[in-house]
Amino acid sequence: MFALLASLPILLVIVLMVGMNWPAKRVMPLGWVLALVLAAFVWRVPANWLAGSTVAGALSAFNILIIVFGAILLMNTLKNSGAITAINRTFHGISPDRRVQAIIIAFLFVSFVEGAAGFGTPAALAGPLMVSLGFPPLAAVILALIGDSTAVSFGAVGTPIIGGVARVLDSPGVRESLTDYGWTFETFIQQVGVWSAIPHAIMGTLLPLLIVMVMTKLFGEKKSFSEAFEIAPFAIFAGLTFTIPYLLIAVFVGPELPSLLGALISISITVAAARSGFLMPKSVWEFPNRDTWDPEWTGSVDVEAENSEQPAIGWFMAWLPYILVALLLVVTRIPALGIKQLITAAGVTISWSNILGTSLGYNLQLLYLPGTIPFVLVAILTIFLHRMKGPAVSETWSKSLKQMVPATIALVFAVAMVNIMRFSGNNPIGAVDMLKALSTAAAAAFSSVWALMAPFVGILGAFMTGSNTVSNILFSTFQYEVAVSAGIARTVIVGLQVIGGAAGNMICVHNVVAASTTVGVLGKEGRIIRTNLVPTAIYAIIVGIVGMLAIYVFVPGLF
């Protein structure tokens, strides 16, 4: 009964957003109200925990909104400075084929940003860039979200594994079991990374082709997969240039750098190959004439519009803001360089502990949020680098702030709803929290084929929380215990949890709202989620099959 009731807020969100195409800004407040009512009257959660969960959720949403605002501000700054026009020319210089552009931006560029920053940044940054090149806004969001999956398990310099899995599984019981097996805890975490990378690498090799298939089928004039298959050799080549170094780094180095370095290596190889015409199809693929676009494809943000008064900017100066973003992301995310410790120190962190008498806390590391450094910082520097005039700067900032209003409503209530569900276990009746009730029921029903189900638990966690890291915090212990009960490889199952949380990035409400805001397609979140459910399910099924083979065929005795 508890599991059925716990599913109601999730079902309400899915039905209204995916089934009835309601915008997130209308749905998420209703989801929050339903979760609040259930927590209060069924779980008997005390009032201070209900209020504390809501407040903590709203504050967490503020952190996400800073990232979104930074991405929007940078995009609007580049548009009004004239840089977008120059950037368009450089991509057409690599290849005018939209399929090639989609592979390079929606897969490789997104993977690089994910490896460095994570937390919703990649799609929010890549979406506007694709729109500026002439992609329909709806297509840009869908493709960028699909591309932001394989890299996510090692995103933000390995945070989902190091800050997620390792954080919750580091217990005396786990360490004792590992000692009996002959592993240290550090070896176990590294192996979780390996068994996240192996299935990811298989699916990641195919991901560029999947991105192009979605694009040609939904947004092409012929509405056909055949035009995607024309570029299949190049797409698979691009996938391999990423997944081979990605896998090798995960196996021999660790979980911090597979996505970051894999993407850097792949970008250099793939761009050179595209420029030389390697594996290029004979025909160039383009979207249909703009006059024939479905109105659903377009957004309220005209990032492609050109201003005749914009100054002419050379290609290097146009790309310099993105180069600065990449450099700042790298130097502020790698602990060995020392800058991360400075910008995350207690003296520059705003904290609130024991919110409203609960054990909940909030931290705002303003200098560490990518919305501040690098996005806002680079946007400010761009004013001087591109010699923007006062009216253009004023218009840029005011327009960026106005674009944030709808996203604010959706995100605040989405995170608040999730928090109430997560912390509903703080009750006097001894009931587990709503999310644990759901997952326990799922385990009871599917334990015999749990390797196929494990990725879907990770997806559920990411869909609800907007984060692979948080999904891993929520469900890694649960996945580990299910594997113990079923007598199957715990390392593989936890790895599949990590992969599921990454695949869930394609449909999680937070990322969909954030990416939609940056290109002005708010209100179409339901269609985006409905579209991306298919590649998300494909991803989960394929990695689940790989997991089953690993557990029962290739490494049956693995811890």
Side-chain angles (χ1 to χ4, degrees):
M1 178 60 73
F2 278 102
L4 179 62
L5 292 172
S7 69
L8 293 180
I10 300 174
L11 291 175
L12 178 69
V13 170
I14 293 172
V15 169
L16 293 182
M17 287 185 65
V18 180
M20 301 180 66
N21 214 29
W22 281 27
K25 67 179 181 180
R26 291 177 59 192
V27 175
M28 298 319 302
L30 294 177
W32 170 76
V33 169
L34 181 54
L36 186 73
V37 169
L38 289 170
F41 295 104
V42 178
W43 271 258
R44 307 287 179 87
V45 177
N48 69 313
W49 271 97
L50 295 175
S53 298
T54 299
V55 171
L59 291 171
S60 297
F62 177 70
N63 290 18
I64 301 168
L65 289 165
I66 291 174
I67 298 173
V68 177
F69 173 72
I72 293 173
L73 179 66
L74 179 60
M75 190 67 245
N76 286 338
T77 301
L78 294 176
K79 171 197 163 187
N80 289 337
S81 75
I84 289 302
T85 303
I87 288 172
N88 286 347
R89 289 196 297 267
T90 63
F91 269 101
H92 281 284
I94 297 172
S95 173
D97 195 313
R98 300 298 189 184
R99 297 169 295 187
V100 177
Q101 294 173 4
I103 290 169
I104 293 173
I105 301 173
F107 180 61
L108 298 179
F109 177 69
V110 158
S111 295
F112 168 75
V113 178
E114 178 62 47
F119 296 103
T121 307
L125 192 60
L129 176 57
M130 294 172 74
V131 173
S132 73
L133 293 170
F135 282 69
L138 187 67
V141 173
I142 288 171
L143 301 181
L145 287 167
I146 294 173
D148 191 19
S149 49
T150 302
V152 173
S153 291
F154 304 98
V157 200
T159 299
I161 293 175
I162 297 171
V165 174
R167 176 177 165 186
V168 296
L169 286 183
D170 189 2
S171 67
V174 173
R175 284 184 176 269
E176 183 179 346
S177 297
L178 286 166
T179 300
D180 293 341
Y181 186 75
W183 277 0
T184 64
F185 184 75
E186 290 70 26
T187 301
F188 171 59
I189 294 302
Q190 195 264 348
Q191 286 297 310
V192 168
V194 170
W195 283 101
S196 300
I198 291 172
H200 257 322
I202 294 170
M203 190 59 212
T205 301
L206 302 174
L207 195 63
L209 179 58
L210 182 61
I211 289 170
V212 177
M213 289 172 65
V214 171
M215 182 175 72
T216 60
K217 179 66 174 178
L218 299 182
F219 300 97
E221 188 172 359
K222 296 180 180 178
K223 298 288 192 293
S224 170
F225 289 130
S226 62
E227 294 170 312
F229 296 141
E230 292 173 4
I231 203 169
F234 179 80
I236 293 172
F237 167 78
L240 287 170
T241 64
F242 173 70
T243 56
I244 290 174
Y246 168 94
L247 180 57
L248 291 174
I249 293 166
V251 172
F252 295 107
V253 179
E256 294 91 351
L257 297 174
S259 296
L260 185 64
L261 293 185
L264 279 174
I265 294 167
S266 183
I267 287 171
S268 61
I269 296 172
T270 303
V271 169
R275 285 187 182 278
S276 68
F278 180 66
L279 297 179
M280 289 288 103
K282 295 179 180 179
S283 60
V284 173
W285 190 87
E286 178 59 275
F287 292 106
N289 188 286
R290 185 180 294 269
D291 295 336
T292 66
W293 284 5
D294 184 332
E296 283 281 303
W297 296 5
T298 59
S300 60
V301 181
D302 185 16
V303 297
E304 194 184 18
E306 297 182 17
N307 187 332
S308 60
E309 298 180 1
Q310 290 173 348
I313 294 179
W315 70 268
F316 177 75
M317 287 302 294
W319 274 104
L320 184 56
Y322 281 116
I323 295 171
L324 291 174
V325 165
L327 288 174
L328 287 169
L329 285 172
V330 171
V331 301
T332 56
R333 264 60 190 174
I334 298 178
L337 298 178
I339 298 176
K340 179 179 179 179
Q341 291 86 329
L342 292 176
I343 62 177
T344 59
V348 292
T349 300
I350 299 172
S351 300
W352 183 8
S353 58
N354 304 120
I355 295 174
L356 301 181
T358 70
S359 60
L360 299 176
Y362 169 71
N363 287 312
L364 173 59
Q365 296 176 324
L366 193 60
L367 298 179
Y368 188 65
L369 282 177
T372 309
I373 299 177
F375 293 163
V376 171
L377 176 60
V378 171
I380 293 171
L381 291 174
T382 301
I383 295 171
F384 302 100
L385 291 171
H386 294 177
R387 299 179 181 179
M388 295 177 65
K389 296 179 180 179
V393 175
S394 178
E395 179 195 352
T396 297
W397 282 74
S398 62
K399 184 176 181 180
S400 300
L401 287 168
K402 289 177 183 176
Q403 287 174 232
M404 293 299 300
V405 175
T408 299
I409 298 170
L411 284 172
V412 165
F413 283 101
V415 185
M417 180 189 80
V418 170
N419 265 15
I420 287 175
M421 296 183 71
R422 285 177 63 190
F423 300 115
S424 57
N426 295 283
N427 60 70
I429 63 174
V432 298
D433 65 73
M434 295 184 191
L435 293 179
K436 183 63 69 68
L438 275 174
S439 58
T440 302
F446 301 106
S447 60
S448 61
V449 287
W450 191 251
L452 293 176
M453 300 308 301
F456 288 96
V457 174
I459 289 170
L460 173 64
F463 175 76
M464 293 301 298
T465 68
S467 167
N468 190 1
T469 301
V470 179
S471 178
N472 293 342
I473 289 171
L474 283 176
F475 292 128
S476 288
T477 302
F478 164 71
Q479 298 266 27
Y480 180 93
E481 294 299 334
V482 172
V484 170
S485 299
I488 55 180
R490 288 157 276 189
T491 305
V492 176
I493 293 298
V494 176
L496 291 173
Q497 155 64 35
V498 176
I499 297 170
N505 235 41
M506 301 186 207
I507 58 170
C508 74
V509 176
H510 296 185
N511 286 0
V512 171
V513 173
S516 298
T517 304
T518 60
V519 299
V521 292
L522 273 175
K524 300 172 185 175
E525 299 91 350
R527 176 166 178 174
I528 294 166
I529 293 173
R530 190 163 57 246
T531 299
N532 283 4
L533 276 171
V534 175
T536 302
I538 291 171
Y539 208 112
I541 291 168
I542 290 177
V543 300
I545 292 171
V546 174
M548 287 280 284
L549 291 172
I551 289 170
Y552 296 110
V553 179
F554 298 116
V555 287
L558 186 67
F559 178 84

